[in-house]
Amino acid sequence: MHFPEFNMTRRNLLGGVALAAVSAALPFALLPNEALAQELPESSGNVDMAEVMKPGPLPDRALGDANAPVKIVEYMSMTCPHCAHFHNTTFEEIKKKYIDTGKVYFVIREFPFDPRAAAAFMLARCAPEQQYYPFVSMLFKQQQTWATAQDARAALLQMSKLAGFSQETFEACLTNQKLLDDVNATMQRGATEFGVNSTPTFIINGKRYAGDMSVEKMSALVDSLL
């Protein structure tokens, strides 16, 4: 299967850099608010959250209460190892602590860096809507199986069959030119309108954060907004 080339942006492979604990090393005690500030990740810029939440080329795939006080939009690539790390180690805990409890509204948006990532996103979009997040989770857990495979199409077909695709529905999805165009347009909108140039990038209540986050980092950030 041939996929059109994308106008790719440079992937930031460094992700977020964790700060070392400092309380024991400092010659003075930190006040609670100062300690919290030490834990918060650094924003890479401000974004108009009202514009971010406006509908784009594709309907958002979201979890949680749309009226939650904290809104998180993640731009990600399915072949990005840092995105896989976030979803494999951080996301489920954040979901339990904040999304399921009505504190966070969480949205995934497509930012594919290569044709394999675009194909994976297309398949996730072709799955039933309620299966979008489970399908994405499966692909992230098995990322090394298909993202680096010599025959990525065959590897994706095998996993898609586990999610209920047939050979015919698999082929129909990956030959849907409008869907491919909409996935690419979602990426271009993120880049041109919201300054996204690496994955994962999180836009949280009007601030942009580049790089993977641990449970502790994202929890501190969400707690600071509640």
Side-chain angles (χ1 to χ4, degrees):
M1 182 67 192
H2 173 70
F3 296 98
E5 292 296 323
F6 288 87
N7 178 21
M8 306 303 173
T9 54
R10 180 176 63 87
R11 183 183 310 192
N12 179 352
L13 293 179
L14 295 178
V17 178
L19 293 174
V22 296
S23 58
L26 291 176
F28 54 87
L30 289 174
L31 296 175
N33 287 342
E34 293 175 317
L36 177 61
Q38 294 295 325
E39 299 171 359
L40 297 180
E42 183 178 354
S43 169
S44 62
N46 296 324
V47 184
D48 186 338
M49 202 65 191
E51 290 297 317
V52 173
M53 299 310 297
K54 286 182 179 179
L58 289 166
D60 280 333
R61 291 289 185 256
L63 292 174
D65 183 353
N67 296 315
V70 179
K71 293 177 173 60
I72 300 176
V73 175
E74 179 193 3
Y75 281 91
M76 69 182 195
S77 178
M78 291 301 303
T79 52
C80 163
H82 300 290
C83 302
H85 186 265
F86 173 79
H87 279 270
N88 292 338
T89 64
T90 298
F91 179 74
E92 285 303 319
E93 186 63 26
I94 295 300
K95 181 176 181 296
K96 286 188 292 184
K97 288 176 66 177
Y98 300 108
I99 299 173
D100 294 345
T101 57
K103 298 174 181 177
V104 164
Y105 184 66
F106 193 96
V107 178
I108 282 177
R109 289 198 184 147
E110 294 87 346
F111 205 87
F113 276 107
D114 52 63
R116 292 186 183 205
F121 275 130
M122 291 170 73
L123 291 166
R125 285 283 181 174
C126 289
E129 183 173 348
Q130 67 273 19
Q131 291 300 312
Y132 179 85
Y133 276 84
F135 191 82
V136 165
S137 177
M138 177 185 73
L139 290 181
F140 272 140
K141 285 182 171 62
Q142 300 296 322
Q143 189 184 70
Q144 289 301 308
T145 302
W146 62 272
T148 61
Q150 184 173 357
D151 189 345
R153 183 177 176 280
L156 281 171
L157 174 59
Q158 183 178 4
M159 281 182 284
S160 296
K161 285 183 175 181
L162 296 175
F165 283 81
S166 65
Q167 178 83 37
E168 292 74 21
T169 56
F170 178 84
E171 296 286 353
C173 181
L174 294 187
T175 54
N176 184 335
Q177 185 63 45
K178 183 180 185 309
L179 178 57
L180 177 60
D181 291 343
D182 286 345
V183 166
N184 195 29
T186 299
M187 177 184 72
Q188 295 298 339
R189 181 186 179 218
T192 59
E193 295 186 24
F194 309 130
V196 178
N197 62 11
S198 63
T199 58
T201 290
F202 302 93
I203 301 177
I204 305 175
N205 281 21
K207 290 187 179 295
R208 186 176 59 244
Y209 300 88
D212 187 10
M213 287 195 205
S214 65
V215 173
E216 294 75 18
K217 289 284 187 184
M218 184 162 277
S219 294
L221 182 54
V222 171
D223 288 342
S224 74
L225 299 169
L226 293 175

